[in-house]
Amino acid sequence: MTPNRQPRGFIEAALWRESAAIARCKLRRYSRVIRSKTQRETTREAPAIRNPHAVGATIPVFSLQNSIVDHPHHSSDPAVAELRGGFTSTRFVLVEPSHPGNVGAAARALKTMGFSRLVLVSPRVPHVQSDPEAIAMASGADDVLASAHVVPTLADALKGVHWSIALTARLREYGPPQWTPRAAAAAAHEQAVHGEIALVFGNERTGLSNEDVERCSALAHIPANPAYSSLNLAQAVQVLAYELRTMYLSADDAVASALSAPAAQGEPFGARAASDEIESMFRHLESALVAIDFLDPANPKKLMSRLRRLFARSGLEREEVNIVRGIAKHILLKAKRTGDDAS
C-alpha cells in the first residue's frame, strides 16, 4: 500500500517558510553585531597623532552623544592608501535624511569612491546605522555605515570645518558662490590642503533650508535634465564623491603651483578659520551693525546674506576673523559710550 504523501506544493511552502525564518534570524543576529560595533566605535578614543590629515590619522568627529572624539579613519581603497589630505579630511554630511535605505546607499557610494566619513544630522530614524534596510542598501559598506556619527544640528556637524559646500537642487539668487560639481571638486581639492572640509546634502523632500545654505562656504548644483531633474540622495552623493575622487587623484601641477606660489613669495597661508569661528564672527558683526543702525532687525533685507557671500569668496583665515571681531567689538563699545553720554 502506498504511504500517504503530502502534496508537493505544501512541501515547497514549508521549505520556503523555514528558509525565510532562518534568514530573519540571521538578519537579527547581524543587526545586533552592527549595533554592538557602533556602540564600541562611539565610546572608544584613539590616541592623537601629529599629522591630522594622514590616512589612518585620528581626526575629530562627533559621537552619538555630540562630543568631539578622536576616531581613526582608514580608506579601504589601495589607490588612496598612501595619500594624505582629501580622502580623510572630507566629511559627507546628510541633513535630516528620511529613509534608512538612502543612508545605507550613501555609505556605499562613499566607499566605492574611497571615502569613509559620514555624518548624519538628526536622521528621522534613530540608530539608523543598525537599521536592516540601511544595512541591506550599504551592500558591503557596513564599516562606513556603522562608523557614521549622528549630531543634532548642522552647526555640530561642521565643528572644526574651515570650508564647506552645500548641494542644492535649485539655483539661488542669494547665498554663497554656486558651482558645478566639477568646479566644486576643484575648489575642495585646494581647500582640503588647509584642513577639514565638508559636503552638505539636504533632506530628500525639502532639501536644505536657507539658513543651512548660508552656513556653508559655497554651493554646488548638478545640471541635470531640467525636464526631469529628480536625483536620489545617494545618487547626488555618488556624483560629488566621484568628482572629488577624480580631483584628489589627479596630479594637477597647475593647482600645486598655485598653492605653493604664496609660500615662495614669503606670504604663507595662515590657519583657516573654522565654521563655528566664522559663525561667531557673523553674530558679532550683526550685533555691531544693529548698534549703529546700519542694519534694521525688523527689515534686514539681504544684508547679512550678501556679507556672508562676500566673506565666503575670501576664504577667511583665523587672524582675519579676529580682526573683524575686533572691529565689531570697538563699534559696540563706541555705541555703548554714545548711548551712555546721551542719557
Side-chain angles (χ1 to χ4, degrees):
M1 183 174 180
T2 305
N4 292 333
R5 297 178 62 184
Q6 297 290 349
R8 182 175 180 180
F10 177 82
I11 294 174
E12 289 180 348
L15 290 174
W16 182 88
R17 285 195 298 271
E18 182 180 359
S19 299
I22 292 173
R24 285 195 297 270
C25 181
K26 287 183 177 180
L27 181 58
R28 283 195 296 270
R29 188 182 305 118
Y30 188 59
S31 297
R32 286 196 296 270
V33 171
I34 292 297
R35 190 179 300 112
S36 174
K37 181 180 178 182
T38 301
Q39 291 171 348
R40 289 198 303 271
E41 291 290 345
T42 57
T43 56
R44 182 178 62 193
E45 288 192 4
I49 66 174
R50 220 174 261 279
N51 182 0
H53 305 301
V55 171
T58 57
I59 42 187
V61 292
F62 303 97
S63 72
L64 299 177
Q65 290 77 30
N66 190 29
S67 60
I68 298 180
V69 298
D70 285 332
H71 185 77
H73 282 268
H74 302 269
S75 174
S76 60
D77 184 355
V80 305
E82 300 302 322
L83 294 181
R84 301 184 179 189
F87 286 94
T88 53
S89 63
T90 302
R91 304 176 193 175
F92 287 76
V93 180
L94 308 185
V95 178
E96 299 180 0
S98 299
H99 305 293
N102 285 338
V103 175
R108 180 181 183 180
L110 294 188
K111 188 167 184 176
T112 59
M113 294 295 114
F115 296 96
S116 62
R117 303 187 64 186
L118 181 61
V119 182
L120 310 175
V121 177
S122 188
R124 191 178 71 175
V125 177
H127 309 296
V128 66
Q129 304 100 312
S130 57
D131 185 274
E133 184 181 352
I135 294 171
M137 292 301 292
S139 188
D142 311 87
D143 52 340
V144 176
L145 178 63
S147 63
H149 288 264
V150 178
V151 293
T153 68
L154 180 58
D156 294 314
L158 295 180
K159 281 182 179 176
V161 169
H162 80 88
W163 187 86
S164 57
I165 186 160
L167 188 77
T168 177
R170 61 185 186 277
L171 297 173
R172 305 188 186 224
E173 180 182 359
Y174 297 100
Q178 302 182 51
W179 294 319
T180 64
R182 190 154 300 173
H189 184 202
E190 180 178 346
Q191 295 294 335
V193 174
H194 305 293
E196 297 281 306
I197 68 171
L199 279 75
V200 181
F201 300 80
N203 173 271
E204 293 94 327
R205 186 176 63 85
T206 58
L208 292 168
S209 67
N210 289 334
E211 181 182 356
D212 288 342
V213 167
E214 290 185 350
R215 189 177 287 275
C216 296
S217 311
L219 292 178
H221 174 75
I222 298 174
N225 176 10
Y228 186 71
S229 59
S230 177
L231 276 174
N232 176 272
L233 173 60
Q235 292 173 330
V237 171
Q238 187 78 75
V239 170
L240 268 295
Y242 166 76
E243 292 292 352
L244 277 176
R245 176 182 175 83
T246 302
M247 190 59 62
Y248 287 168
L249 292 179
S250 66
D252 192 337
D253 295 333
V255 172
S257 299
L259 290 174
S260 61
Q265 297 168 5
E267 299 177 0
F269 284 109
R272 295 300 175 101
S275 174
D276 47 325
E277 294 172 330
I278 294 174
E279 287 303 312
S280 297
M281 180 201 75
F282 281 125
R283 288 193 295 270
H284 205 169
L285 180 59
E286 184 174 5
S287 298
L289 296 177
V290 170
I292 60 174
D293 295 326
F294 190 83
L295 173 62
D296 181 4
N299 187 27
K301 298 182 179 179
K302 296 292 183 180
L303 176 60
M304 291 309 299
S305 295
R306 290 184 180 277
L307 286 175
R308 283 178 175 272
R309 184 167 184 166
L310 170 65
F311 282 114
R313 287 199 298 267
S314 65
L316 288 168
E317 297 176 4
R318 185 167 294 156
E319 186 61 31
E320 293 166 343
V321 166
N322 291 336
I323 290 172
V324 174
R325 295 200 66 172
I327 294 171
K329 176 182 177 181
H330 280 77
I331 290 174
L332 289 170
L333 289 173
K334 181 70 173 178
K336 185 177 185 299
R337 283 198 296 267
T338 302
D340 292 342
D341 293 342
S343 60

